[in-house]
Amino acid sequence: MSYSSPFNRLCIYFFYDKDGKVDRYVLKMLNEMRLYCSKILVVSNGSLDEKSRLLLSSASDELLERENVGFDVWAYKAGIEKIGWENIVKYGEVVFMNHTIMGPVDSFEEMFRDMDSRELDFWGITMHHKYDSAPKELYAKFHCIPQHIQSFFIAVRKKMLKSAEYRKYWDNMPQIRSYSDSVCFHEAFFTGHFEQLGFCWSVYVDTSSGEYSQNPLTFAPKELISKLKCPIFKRRNFFHMFRDLISQSVCNQGGELLDYLDKYTDFDTELIWENILRLENMGNIARCLNLNYVLPRNYRTALETRTKTALIMHLYYPDLFAECIEYAKSMPQDADIYFTTSSKEKAIMLREAVSKSGITNHTEVRTAENRGRDQSSLFVCCKDIVEKYDLVCFTHDKKSPGSGSFISGKAFSYHCFENTLATPEYVENVIKLFEKNSRLGFAAPPPPYHGLYRNTLVSPWGINFENTKALAKKLGIKSPMSRDLPPITGYGSMFWFRPKALKKVFAADWKYEDFPEEPIKEDDGTLLHAFERIYPFAAQDEGFASGWIMNSDYAALSYNNFYNLMLENSVSPEMILAKKLKKTAKKFLPKRYWSAARRHFHQ
């Protein structure tokens, strides 16, 4: 560090991780703070695993593990008590900061150089601006949520540290039992309280112009970094609540921030991925980062690919052989193609159809037992070949006799095939997408939205949450799973995947006997539908993200359909579906879906 601070500085760093693990972004932050602090105390709410305990101990001067109570506020209080008031007042400045921020994007030198030169009693990095309405705890004192320093980083200097008011603040701090308590009794309270007592404060990142909303770090993180030299960003930018974002914006913040960090800074975005994929729900991640990929249908974005690729296609209906084989011809010439079917007689017919099709790829026709449908084709019949490839596309023929009408089932098949194997150009673009995005492990067409398939929008889980959760437990998959967030999966079981992303699913040594016997009167709620939803969680457990893919023509069609549906009803998509649900639940949804659908609309 080229700048020598005039302050003898202590840092009390609050840390929490539900698994008791410490990720690299925390170590990066602590190693940076070492350059500006004479002592670092890490206060961990909850116990740590041995490796993480050693890592935090090596990155700090002292480590305090305590019961996970009181959120960050009581962790800071415990830190003060650990150091002791008689020692706290010896420091020129004490920084209270926590694990909810990532950084620094560059370094903290410019920030500390600037703030050290100001005559202040306390300061922070960013501000949350005034909000007129307030919980009763704040309204009684301020009649609003006052503008305040965001509490993930607050520095307090000697004059205030030595004051009776400051010690009284911590001695009288009530027990913090919720996030709301933390905000009302500390974060939104602290700044205004000590300002009224005559203490002087400021923030490093000046958002007083008002152009960045009440919470600039949430709603304009890229702008704060690129224009105002903000050195940090929130972890939550990558999994924030969708409804909060959409209430004020088009939800572009997380994706734009990640892209900016990756392209224009030296910050290693792998630190972000390894943390959020371990801890957060893929549904929130996908929405915040817009993991929807619209790829050209009729022209290539690049001519060369280096990925060893295969197609596995299960064909049950002989009358669909020719139509499905035409889609198989979209695969690159150097890709291998495996066809499976349900009997020796069909296998003979399928080989003849493949021979007549003009496919020049290496092809193989395999016979699978008529049990487990397309899933057993992939995880039993073709298990032995999957690990030879970097990337695999899996598809199957589809009639969907339970869809209510022939045209509705055919539309579902069109939806799936057009967004997995539309054209040779589209397929090459999908392969390049995986080459470009090393963290992408699974990609599938988005949920269908027509006819009875609207059920997947109304109730993404249906009656399949518990059986999917049971399957995850059996496979040792620990990715966060929530009834209230949709799985980013391929409804209809057509998708692209990296074999190493579905490693735990293949490792289970499935047998045909594990699947329900045919004929299956109702496959909903069975292992078949649990499989359909387990894929993104398996991928996330291996450190991969999942997303939805569409060809450009289909994306335009979908936008047309959604846009006109909204105009027709003059309300939000959620209101449309809620309204239709109330009127036609008995007609469109089996009774077993009703409670799940009601819960979905009360989010």
Side-chain angles (χ1 to χ4, degrees), residues 444-462:
Y449 50 81
H450 68 282
L452 291 182
Y453 297 111
R454 192 174 298 159
N455 292 355
T456 59
L457 298 180
V458 173
S459 178
W461 286 101

PDB file of all heavy atoms in Angstrom, residues 444-462:
ATOM      1  N   ALA A 444     -32.370 -25.539 -21.390  1.00  0.00           N
ATOM      2  CA  ALA A 444     -33.577 -26.179 -21.915  1.00  0.00           C
ATOM      3  C   ALA A 444     -34.539 -25.124 -22.423  1.00  0.00           C
ATOM      4  O   ALA A 444     -34.422 -23.942 -22.080  1.00  0.00           O
ATOM      5  CB  ALA A 444     -34.242 -26.998 -20.810  1.00  0.00           C
ATOM      6  N   PRO A 445     -35.508 -25.527 -23.228  1.00  0.00           N
ATOM      7  CA  PRO A 445     -36.559 -24.585 -23.631  1.00  0.00           C
ATOM      8  C   PRO A 445     -37.295 -24.055 -22.404  1.00  0.00           C
ATOM      9  O   PRO A 445     -37.412 -24.746 -21.386  1.00  0.00           O
ATOM     10  CB  PRO A 445     -37.489 -25.441 -24.496  1.00  0.00           C
ATOM     11  CG  PRO A 445     -36.634 -26.564 -24.987  1.00  0.00           C
ATOM     12  CD  PRO A 445     -35.680 -26.849 -23.872  1.00  0.00           C
ATOM     13  N   PRO A 446     -37.803 -22.825 -22.468  1.00  0.00           N
ATOM     14  CA  PRO A 446     -38.547 -22.269 -21.328  1.00  0.00           C
ATOM     15  C   PRO A 446     -39.867 -23.013 -21.138  1.00  0.00           C
ATOM     16  O   PRO A 446     -40.266 -23.802 -21.999  1.00  0.00           O
ATOM     17  CB  PRO A 446     -38.774 -20.814 -21.748  1.00  0.00           C
ATOM     18  CG  PRO A 446     -38.774 -20.854 -23.239  1.00  0.00           C
ATOM     19  CD  PRO A 446     -37.769 -21.901 -23.619  1.00  0.00           C
ATOM     20  N   PRO A 447     -40.556 -22.780 -20.036  1.00  0.00           N
ATOM     21  CA  PRO A 447     -41.832 -23.472 -19.807  1.00  0.00           C
ATOM     22  C   PRO A 447     -42.845 -23.150 -20.902  1.00  0.00           C
ATOM     23  O   PRO A 447     -42.912 -22.011 -21.382  1.00  0.00           O
ATOM     24  CB  PRO A 447     -42.300 -22.913 -18.461  1.00  0.00           C
ATOM     25  CG  PRO A 447     -41.067 -22.424 -17.794  1.00  0.00           C
ATOM     26  CD  PRO A 447     -40.181 -21.924 -18.899  1.00  0.00           C
ATOM     27  N   PRO A 448     -43.643 -24.127 -21.312  1.00  0.00           N
ATOM     28  CA  PRO A 448     -44.712 -23.853 -22.278  1.00  0.00           C
ATOM     29  C   PRO A 448     -45.801 -23.026 -21.606  1.00  0.00           C
ATOM     30  O   PRO A 448     -45.913 -23.011 -20.372  1.00  0.00           O
ATOM     31  CB  PRO A 448     -45.221 -25.257 -22.635  1.00  0.00           C
ATOM     32  CG  PRO A 448     -44.916 -26.072 -21.413  1.00  0.00           C
ATOM     33  CD  PRO A 448     -43.636 -25.530 -20.865  1.00  0.00           C
ATOM     34  N   TYR A 449     -46.600 -22.345 -22.407  1.00  0.00           N
ATOM     35  CA  TYR A 449     -47.603 -21.450 -21.820  1.00  0.00           C
ATOM     36  C   TYR A 449     -48.955 -21.569 -22.502  1.00  0.00           C
ATOM     37  O   TYR A 449     -49.859 -20.776 -22.240  1.00  0.00           O
ATOM     38  CB  TYR A 449     -47.125 -19.998 -21.914  1.00  0.00           C
ATOM     39  CG  TYR A 449     -46.654 -19.593 -23.304  1.00  0.00           C
ATOM     40  CD1 TYR A 449     -47.563 -19.222 -24.287  1.00  0.00           C
ATOM     41  CD2 TYR A 449     -45.305 -19.624 -23.628  1.00  0.00           C
ATOM     42  CE1 TYR A 449     -47.147 -18.880 -25.557  1.00  0.00           C
ATOM     43  CE2 TYR A 449     -44.873 -19.284 -24.899  1.00  0.00           C
ATOM     44  CZ  TYR A 449     -45.789 -18.909 -25.860  1.00  0.00           C
ATOM     45  OH  TYR A 449     -45.369 -18.585 -27.126  1.00  0.00           O
ATOM     46  N   HIS A 450     -49.133 -22.549 -23.360  1.00  0.00           N
ATOM     47  CA  HIS A 450     -50.398 -22.655 -24.090  1.00  0.00           C
ATOM     48  C   HIS A 450     -51.255 -23.778 -23.496  1.00  0.00           C
ATOM     49  O   HIS A 450     -50.739 -24.742 -22.922  1.00  0.00           O
ATOM     50  CB  HIS A 450     -50.138 -22.949 -25.576  1.00  0.00           C
ATOM     51  CG  HIS A 450     -49.552 -24.315 -25.826  1.00  0.00           C
ATOM     52  ND1 HIS A 450     -48.217 -24.590 -25.606  1.00  0.00           N
ATOM     53  CD2 HIS A 450     -50.130 -25.471 -26.249  1.00  0.00           C
ATOM     54  CE1 HIS A 450     -47.984 -25.860 -25.894  1.00  0.00           C
ATOM     55  NE2 HIS A 450     -49.116 -26.415 -26.285  1.00  0.00           N
ATOM     56  N   GLY A 451     -52.559 -23.651 -23.684  1.00  0.00           N
ATOM     57  CA  GLY A 451     -53.479 -24.709 -23.289  1.00  0.00           C
ATOM     58  C   GLY A 451     -53.310 -25.143 -21.848  1.00  0.00           C
ATOM     59  O   GLY A 451     -53.056 -24.337 -20.949  1.00  0.00           O
ATOM     60  N   LEU A 452     -53.419 -26.456 -21.628  1.00  0.00           N
ATOM     61  CA  LEU A 452     -53.264 -26.987 -20.280  1.00  0.00           C
ATOM     62  C   LEU A 452     -51.847 -26.840 -19.752  1.00  0.00           C
ATOM     63  O   LEU A 452     -51.620 -26.936 -18.543  1.00  0.00           O
ATOM     64  CB  LEU A 452     -53.665 -28.473 -20.253  1.00  0.00           C
ATOM     65  CG  LEU A 452     -55.153 -28.777 -20.456  1.00  0.00           C
ATOM     66  CD1 LEU A 452     -55.406 -30.266 -20.368  1.00  0.00           C
ATOM     67  CD2 LEU A 452     -55.997 -28.052 -19.410  1.00  0.00           C
ATOM     68  N   TYR A 453     -50.883 -26.610 -20.654  1.00  0.00           N
ATOM     69  CA  TYR A 453     -49.495 -26.465 -20.213  1.00  0.00           C
ATOM     70  C   TYR A 453     -49.284 -25.172 -19.431  1.00  0.00           C
ATOM     71  O   TYR A 453     -48.221 -24.962 -18.856  1.00  0.00           O
ATOM     72  CB  TYR A 453     -48.556 -26.527 -21.414  1.00  0.00           C
ATOM     73  CG  TYR A 453     -48.615 -27.875 -22.107  1.00  0.00           C
ATOM     74  CD1 TYR A 453     -49.162 -27.992 -23.374  1.00  0.00           C
ATOM     75  CD2 TYR A 453     -48.165 -29.017 -21.465  1.00  0.00           C
ATOM     76  CE1 TYR A 453     -49.245 -29.222 -24.001  1.00  0.00           C
ATOM     77  CE2 TYR A 453     -48.241 -30.255 -22.083  1.00  0.00           C
ATOM     78  CZ  TYR A 453     -48.787 -30.359 -23.355  1.00  0.00           C
ATOM     79  OH  TYR A 453     -48.864 -31.583 -23.954  1.00  0.00           O
ATOM     80  N   ARG A 454     -50.300 -24.314 -19.414  1.00  0.00           N
ATOM     81  CA  ARG A 454     -50.220 -23.127 -18.583  1.00  0.00           C
ATOM     82  C   ARG A 454     -50.069 -23.511 -17.113  1.00  0.00           C
ATOM     83  O   ARG A 454     -49.657 -22.710 -16.281  1.00  0.00           O
ATOM     84  CB  ARG A 454     -51.459 -22.259 -18.796  1.00  0.00           C
ATOM     85  CG  ARG A 454     -51.360 -20.868 -18.207  1.00  0.00           C
ATOM     86  CD  ARG A 454     -52.551 -20.025 -18.592  1.00  0.00           C
ATOM     87  NE  ARG A 454     -52.621 -19.848 -20.028  1.00  0.00           N
ATOM     88  CZ  ARG A 454     -53.724 -19.508 -20.688  1.00  0.00           C
ATOM     89  NH1 ARG A 454     -54.845 -19.328 -20.027  1.00  0.00           N
ATOM     90  NH2 ARG A 454     -53.705 -19.363 -21.999  1.00  0.00           N
ATOM     91  N   ASN A 455     -50.407 -24.761 -16.797  1.00  0.00           N
ATOM     92  CA  ASN A 455     -50.220 -25.251 -15.431  1.00  0.00           C
ATOM     93  C   ASN A 455     -48.793 -25.022 -14.937  1.00  0.00           C
ATOM     94  O   ASN A 455     -48.564 -24.793 -13.746  1.00  0.00           O
ATOM     95  CB  ASN A 455     -50.521 -26.752 -15.347  1.00  0.00           C
ATOM     96  CG  ASN A 455     -51.992 -27.062 -15.572  1.00  0.00           C
ATOM     97  OD1 ASN A 455     -52.808 -26.163 -15.696  1.00  0.00           O
ATOM     98  ND2 ASN A 455     -52.320 -28.344 -15.640  1.00  0.00           N
ATOM     99  N   THR A 456     -47.818 -25.120 -15.853  1.00  0.00           N
ATOM    100  CA  THR A 456     -46.425 -24.975 -15.426  1.00  0.00           C
ATOM    101  C   THR A 456     -46.109 -23.547 -15.018  1.00  0.00           C
ATOM    102  O   THR A 456     -45.139 -23.312 -14.296  1.00  0.00           O
ATOM    103  CB  THR A 456     -45.458 -25.411 -16.550  1.00  0.00           C
ATOM    104  OG1 THR A 456     -45.687 -24.616 -17.720  1.00  0.00           O
ATOM    105  CG2 THR A 456     -45.624 -26.873 -16.874  1.00  0.00           C
ATOM    106  N   LEU A 457     -46.902 -22.577 -15.470  1.00  0.00           N
ATOM    107  CA  LEU A 457     -46.733 -21.197 -15.019  1.00  0.00           C
ATOM    108  C   LEU A 457     -47.494 -20.959 -13.722  1.00  0.00           C
ATOM    109  O   LEU A 457     -47.024 -20.265 -12.830  1.00  0.00           O
ATOM    110  CB  LEU A 457     -47.236 -20.218 -16.093  1.00  0.00           C
ATOM    111  CG  LEU A 457     -46.513 -20.252 -17.447  1.00  0.00           C
ATOM    112  CD1 LEU A 457     -47.143 -19.233 -18.388  1.00  0.00           C
ATOM    113  CD2 LEU A 457     -45.031 -19.954 -17.282  1.00  0.00           C
ATOM    114  N   VAL A 458     -48.685 -21.538 -13.635  1.00  0.00           N
ATOM    115  CA  VAL A 458     -49.508 -21.380 -12.446  1.00  0.00           C
ATOM    116  C   VAL A 458     -48.891 -22.117 -11.260  1.00  0.00           C
ATOM    117  O   VAL A 458     -48.806 -21.592 -10.159  1.00  0.00           O
ATOM    118  CB  VAL A 458     -50.938 -21.916 -12.707  1.00  0.00           C
ATOM    119  CG1 VAL A 458     -51.762 -21.905 -11.431  1.00  0.00           C
ATOM    120  CG2 VAL A 458     -51.614 -21.094 -13.793  1.00  0.00           C
ATOM    121  N   SER A 459     -48.438 -23.338 -11.515  1.00  0.00           N
ATOM    122  CA  SER A 459     -47.899 -24.169 -10.441  1.00  0.00           C
ATOM    123  C   SER A 459     -46.708 -24.958 -10.984  1.00  0.00           C
ATOM    124  O   SER A 459     -46.857 -26.108 -11.406  1.00  0.00           O
ATOM    125  CB  SER A 459     -48.989 -25.127  -9.923  1.00  0.00           C
ATOM    126  OG  SER A 459     -48.477 -25.954  -8.916  1.00  0.00           O
ATOM    127  N   PRO A 460     -45.508 -24.353 -11.011  1.00  0.00           N
ATOM    128  CA  PRO A 460     -44.343 -24.994 -11.616  1.00  0.00           C
ATOM    129  C   PRO A 460     -44.010 -26.367 -11.019  1.00  0.00           C
ATOM    130  O   PRO A 460     -43.543 -27.252 -11.721  1.00  0.00           O
ATOM    131  CB  PRO A 460     -43.208 -24.001 -11.342  1.00  0.00           C
ATOM    132  CG  PRO A 460     -43.884 -22.697 -11.119  1.00  0.00           C
ATOM    133  CD  PRO A 460     -45.178 -23.020 -10.470  1.00  0.00           C
ATOM    134  N   TRP A 461     -44.269 -26.521  -9.742  1.00  0.00           N
ATOM    135  CA  TRP A 461     -43.972 -27.798  -9.092  1.00  0.00           C
ATOM    136  C   TRP A 461     -45.134 -28.780  -9.207  1.00  0.00           C
ATOM    137  O   TRP A 461     -44.910 -29.994  -9.180  1.00  0.00           O
ATOM    138  CB  TRP A 461     -43.649 -27.580  -7.612  1.00  0.00           C
ATOM    139  CG  TRP A 461     -42.309 -26.976  -7.361  1.00  0.00           C
ATOM    140  CD1 TRP A 461     -42.023 -25.668  -7.059  1.00  0.00           C
ATOM    141  CD2 TRP A 461     -41.053 -27.650  -7.411  1.00  0.00           C
ATOM    142  NE1 TRP A 461     -40.673 -25.494  -6.901  1.00  0.00           N
ATOM    143  CE2 TRP A 461     -40.049 -26.697  -7.116  1.00  0.00           C
ATOM    144  CE3 TRP A 461     -40.662 -28.967  -7.671  1.00  0.00           C
ATOM    145  CZ2 TRP A 461     -38.693 -27.016  -7.064  1.00  0.00           C
ATOM    146  CZ3 TRP A 461     -39.323 -29.291  -7.625  1.00  0.00           C
ATOM    147  CH2 TRP A 461     -38.353 -28.334  -7.325  1.00  0.00           C
ATOM    148  N   GLY A 462     -46.363 -28.258  -9.290  1.00  0.00           N
ATOM    149  CA  GLY A 462     -47.503 -29.154  -9.243  1.00  0.00           C
ATOM    150  C   GLY A 462     -47.472 -29.952  -7.957  1.00  0.00           C
ATOM    151  O   GLY A 462     -47.309 -29.412  -6.863  1.00  0.00           O
TER     152      GLY A 462
END
